[in-house]
Amino acid sequence: MNRLLILTIASEVFLLLSFLIIFLSTRRTKKSIFLIPLLIVGGSPLLYLAVDHMNSHYVDANIGLGLAFMFTWIYSAIAFVVAIVLMVKRKRKNNI
């Protein structure tokens, strides 16, 4: 399997996992619907540039692809930190 494909899938799974934890730690209200556009905003640049890189073979380095990976990883890390904070906050609220 291509290394780029493995990294892309792992990055998108980590992003999806972060948003899934956020969704499960919040109450299922109409505000949870706003998580879907945030997930799309976080994952679409990487998917677009990874598919573009696989279809067209560039001679030089694809800086945009590296920036898309960095954006997705930072976005995933921020979402994961928010998910952990929400989970801890919910757990403390349930214990009191």
Side-chain angles (χ1 to χ4, degrees), residues 19-34:
F19 274 92
L20 184 66
I21 292 172
I22 290 174
F23 179 74
L24 293 176
S25 64
T26 59
R27 296 186 183 146
R28 290 179 181 88
T29 61
K30 292 184 179 181
K31 293 178 184 177
S32 300
I33 294 174
F34 293 118

Side-chain angles (χ1 to χ4, degrees), residues 34 45 67 84:
F34 293 118
L67 288 173
I84 290 174

Side-chain angles (χ1 to χ4, degrees), residues 34-86:
F34 293 118
L35 292 175
I36 296 170
L38 289 175
L39 178 65
I40 292 171
V41 165
S44 61
L46 179 60
L47 287 177
Y48 173 75
L49 287 171
V51 169
D52 180 51
H53 183 74
M54 287 182 189
N55 288 338
S56 52
H57 302 285
Y58 297 109
V59 177
D60 58 345
N62 192 351
I63 303 299
L65 182 62
L67 288 173
F69 268 110
M70 191 167 42
F71 170 75
T72 304
W73 292 338
I74 291 171
Y75 198 82
S76 298
I78 291 170
F80 194 68
V81 168
V82 168
I84 290 174
V85 167
L86 288 174

